[in-house]
Amino acid sequence: MTAPMRPRYELAERLYPYARSPDQDQAEPARHPVVVVGAGPVGLATALDLALRGQRVVVLDDHEGVGQGSRAICFSKRSLEIAHRLGCGEAMHAKGVVWQRGRVFRDRDEIYAFDLQPEGGHRFPPFVNLQQPYVERFLVERIAAVRAEGAEVEIRGANRVDDLAQAADGVTLDITTPDGPYRLRADYVVACDGARSPIRERMGLTFEGRVFEDNFLIADVRMTADFPTERWFWFEPWFKSGASALLHKQPDDIWRIDFQLGWDIDREAELRPAAVRARVDAMLGPDVDYALDWTSIYTFQCRRMARFRHGRVLFAGDSAHQVSPFGARGANSGLQDAENLAWKLDLVLRGVAGETLLDSYDTERGAAADENILNSTRSTDFLTPKSEASRLFRDAVLDLAEGHAFARPLVNSGRLSVPAVYDDAPLVGPDALPGGPAASRPGAPCPDAPLGQGFLLDRLGGGFALLALNCTPPSVDGPEGVPFERIGLTCERDDPLARRYLGDAARAVYLLRPDQHVAARWGDPTPAGIGRALRHALGTTA
Amino acid sequence: MTLTTAPNLPDPDGVYAALIDAHEGLTKAESDALNARLILVLANHIGDLDVLRAALEVARGDGTP
């Protein structure tokens, strides 16, 4: 019945070669608390986060390493912060190309420029460009390192999930390997198996949304060039290689170029090296020496699953939601899924939280997906006007933008990923800090700030934290089995820490979640109020 | 701020003439483009999405295209 093992794509690097597991020789399926399906950035981050929390995790991937091509290349500050907590943020930062400025051109004229880092005092820049295979490699290396230190996490390459069956007490997975089939039992399955998610298909779940009638050609070009490390975007470029074009620098002298091709194209013809080179030549000029490193054609799609949790199967990353790429909202939102899910699943597996906490994964990340899809859809409507009126307004914005500052914010060549704020989410507690800054309101990710020789986010462990600024942390303990720490800090009026957490308040107490999002904040909390907010953040009523 | 729908133009004939004069000698495509730019300029001047939405409602009339 099962198809033979055959790679769907060529590997760039064999990171986790197939090795026979003792589980394959068991008469009864071996049981694991968590099985993650898919060893892309989201699956690896989920597994690593869970392993660092002490959970036993198996990652299954139908290949033995990373595929070819740069794919996701823009990693946001929040993604770097998440990766830093997991132990590979510095590697990504060191290898990545740091950028923060973008320029938008129409024809030959610059009509708009932006700078994403208005304030200092953050460990990480707003973005680095880094090929997805590097991110996967850093995560795999970190997993190997924590495993060597005793963490129970393993990646099984060439383990393809062909079927799964869910019962009240667990999920049974049918797996095919080069040595034949075997079965595993899992308390929970996290499906990080990509936009075409075979698990989602197998479960017959829908993936609704829009496909935009346009095609984009990616050409990764290897060349030494002295363009600045900025995001350059052209509407109606003078070199006529597409309706729009994007140029972005990656590490290793690779440049990402995107050309907007239109809807009715011959994909095969467009992907021929001569056709790609003709477009690149027109853009770069005849004298530039370059090599084509990778090419691909994609369409813009915005879709999501109705729910990201189906009993004991949870979907994260592209399997749960897909957005068009001009906003870096794919991999970055997937990494936020991973961090949102990992601590919740950990506490549920420890038996200190229940269904409500797992359901909040769907609520919080579902809202984040809606926000990403909304932004992505609006960008796409600007890039690919869907009607005559839509094109009329788009062109009017571009006409006005060069000479008039007011029109520049309307130019939309992609709104770049910012982390979701879980406003109005069920787990979010009181905002009882009069004068507190909006950026650190309950639901928001903690803004980083310099602290001594390091940064605030380093000071937070992986559990809940009660952060008291310019006052003594109230003496409250977390519930049994829930990692909880109290941190007292002092800051001067003009410190970034004060600006980001006190605003006009003289002192503050923050309850922070394990994913470094603010759960609640007060000027003058009571121990009972903190206890309530903490139970609320755990999804336990009363 | 709420949308003003009561008469608000001190010189209604002058305003009307200014709109028509601006399109003098333009092709249909040029006129459409001018109108789109004008709407963006005015939308920025209003600076309030709720007012703009109310204005769109009025412009749409009873819902028939």
Side-chain angles (χ1 to χ4, degrees):
Chain A
M1 275 304 287
T2 50
M5 291 296 292
R6 190 177 295 139
R8 286 177 293 120
Y9 47 79
E10 234 180 287
L11 290 188
E13 198 175 355
R14 213 159 155 253
L15 287 176
Y16 30 86
Y18 171 75
R20 193 176 175 86
S21 160
D23 286 353
Q24 292 170 246
D25 301 314
Q26 304 294 318
E28 288 298 312
R31 182 158 191 131
H32 294 269
V34 185
V35 169
V36 174
V37 182
V42 181
L44 293 169
T46 305
L48 180 52
D49 207 336
L50 281 162
L52 290 170
R53 296 179 187 283
Q55 293 297 341
R56 198 154 58 83
V57 191
V58 174
V59 183
L60 305 175
D61 195 278
D62 61 348
H63 288 70
E64 296 181 296
V66 312
Q68 304 226 335
S70 52
R71 290 165 292 148
I73 61 161
C74 282
F75 290 87
S76 69
K77 176 153 70 70
R78 185 66 201 144
S79 290
L80 293 168
E81 289 165 357
I82 294 168
H84 189 60
R85 183 171 56 74
L86 299 178
C88 42
E90 290 294 357
M92 287 173 65
H93 189 190
K95 184 67 196 176
V97 171
V98 174
W99 67 278
Q100 64 189 54
R101 286 185 67 81
R103 292 181 196 280
V104 180
F105 303 87
R106 185 193 203 186
D107 197 347
R108 287 178 190 276
D109 304 320
E110 181 176 323
I111 56 171
Y112 180 55
F114 58 85
D115 190 326
L116 296 166
Q117 185 89 308
E119 53 174 358
H122 294 262
R123 177 190 287 280
F124 292 111
F127 281 96
V128 296
N129 283 356
L130 182 63
Q131 294 89 331
Q132 182 178 328
Y134 277 116
V135 177
E136 294 183 23
R137 191 208 291 170
F138 295 149
L139 285 164
V140 168
E141 285 171 357
R142 180 70 182 138
I143 284 173
V146 301
R147 185 173 152 85
E149 291 161 10
E152 294 181 278
V153 51
E154 58 174 310
I155 307 170
R156 296 185 187 171
N159 272 241
R160 188 185 68 206
V161 176
D162 283 327
D163 205 357
L164 75 170
Q166 195 171 173
D169 63 340
V171 184
T172 306
L173 297 138
D174 285 319
I175 299 157
T176 297
T177 74
D179 283 338
Y182 76 108
R183 287 182 147 185
L184 284 181
R185 293 273 283 161
D187 291 347
Y188 290 94
V189 170
V190 186
C192 309
D193 52 348
R196 292 189 194 87
S197 175
I199 301 247
R200 191 186 63 220
E201 296 281 313
R202 183 59 66 171
M203 291 173 69
L205 299 168
T206 56
F207 198 46
E208 303 279 349
R210 273 175 75 182
V211 178
F212 295 87
E213 296 196 343
D214 213 329
N215 289 284
F216 287 78
L217 170 71
I218 292 181
D220 272 357
V221 161
R222 186 184 299 274
M223 63 176 174
T224 39
D226 52 6
F227 299 115
T229 49
E230 300 175 338
R231 178 187 195 263
W232 283 12
F233 188 94
W234 288 262
F235 289 101
E236 299 161 348
W238 57 272
F239 43 82
K240 312 282 182 210
S241 302
S244 69
L246 177 74
L247 176 69
H248 229 177
K249 189 179 187 180
Q250 304 172 46
D252 307 335
D253 290 324
I254 303 283
W255 296 76
R256 162 72 63 86
I257 304 175
D258 284 72
F259 296 121
Q260 183 179 358
L261 302 186
W263 185 233
D264 284 316
I265 60 158
D266 179 344
R267 288 173 81 98
E268 209 175 303
E270 290 293 354
L271 278 170
R272 281 186 202 124
V276 176
R277 293 195 76 99
R279 290 182 190 274
V280 175
D281 287 349
M283 178 179 187
L284 300 176
D287 306 325
V288 176
D289 194 23
Y290 67 87
L292 292 178
D293 193 67
W294 179 61
T295 54
S296 175
I297 287 181
Y298 60 93
T299 54
F300 275 10
Q301 313 198 18
C302 287
R303 322 189 212 211
R304 59 163 291 183
M305 297 178 72
R307 284 184 294 124
F308 299 169
R309 179 184 176 211
H310 289 266
R312 292 174 172 273
V313 182
L314 297 121
F315 291 83
D318 283 355
S319 70
H321 46 78
Q322 193 182 6
V323 292
S324 28
F326 281 41
R329 289 169 182 270
N332 289 308
S333 70
L335 290 172
Q336 291 165 52
D337 288 350
E339 76 151 359
N340 188 288
L341 179 57
W343 69 272
K344 294 174 179 176
L345 200 46
D346 171 56
L347 293 180
V348 169
L349 285 162
R350 286 171 192 279
V352 292
E355 299 290 310
T356 314
L357 193 63
L358 275 191
D359 283 338
S360 78
Y361 165 71
D362 169 68
T363 318
E364 293 181 342
R365 295 311 302 166
D370 288 344
E371 184 181 312
N372 286 320
I373 287 171
L374 178 69
N375 276 288
S376 187
T377 299
R378 287 172 168 179
S379 298
T380 307
D381 281 339
F382 197 88
L383 293 175
T384 304
K386 59 188 169 184
S387 65
E388 212 180 308
S390 170
R391 172 166 293 278
L392 208 54
F393 277 108
R394 198 286 291 270
D395 290 346
V397 167
L398 295 176
D399 287 344
L400 289 167
E402 195 184 346
H404 301 280
F406 85 85
R408 287 169 207 155
L410 294 166
V411 175
N412 192 342
S413 70
R415 300 288 183 222
L416 289 156
S417 171
V418 286
V421 177
Y422 304 132
D423 283 317
D424 307 319
L427 300 187
V428 170
D431 185 0
L433 182 68
S440 53
R441 68 190 182 275
C446 294
D448 205 2
L451 193 66
Q453 298 304 304
F455 287 87
L456 173 67
L457 297 186
D458 301 346
R459 182 65 187 78
L460 307 176
F464 279 91
L466 196 62
L467 173 67
L469 293 167
N470 293 347
C471 58
T472 310
S475 112
V476 177
D477 287 319
E480 183 75 31
V482 176
F484 181 83
E485 64 175 332
R486 289 182 292 146
I487 303 168
L489 299 173
T490 53
C491 49
E492 302 293 334
R493 195 80 240 141
D494 292 326
D495 287 353
L497 186 62
R499 284 204 306 276
R500 288 166 198 170
Y501 286 88
L502 290 178
D504 297 331
R507 60 184 180 278
V509 174
Y510 278 77
L511 178 63
L512 308 176
R513 312 196 314 188
D515 57 2
Q516 300 179 344
H517 277 253
V518 176
R521 64 179 180 180
W522 303 265
D524 289 297
T526 62
I530 294 170
R532 268 198 306 278
L534 184 52
R535 287 191 298 277
H536 190 69
L538 285 164
T540 46
T541 43
Chain B
M1 194 162 73
T2 53
L3 179 73
T4 303
T5 51
N8 192 38
L9 300 171
D11 178 11
D13 292 349
V15 167
Y16 190 81
L19 288 172
I20 303 306
D21 289 352
H23 290 268
E24 190 70 35
L26 299 188
T27 64
K28 169 79 168 79
E30 287 165 346
S31 269
D32 288 347
L34 174 67
N35 278 337
R37 290 196 298 272
L38 180 66
I39 289 168
L40 292 170
V41 171
L42 297 177
N44 183 69
H45 180 78
I46 292 166
D48 185 321
L49 184 54
D50 289 335
V51 173
L52 183 64
R53 286 211 174 99
L56 285 166
E57 274 308 302
V58 173
R60 266 196 294 260
D62 60 0
T64 49

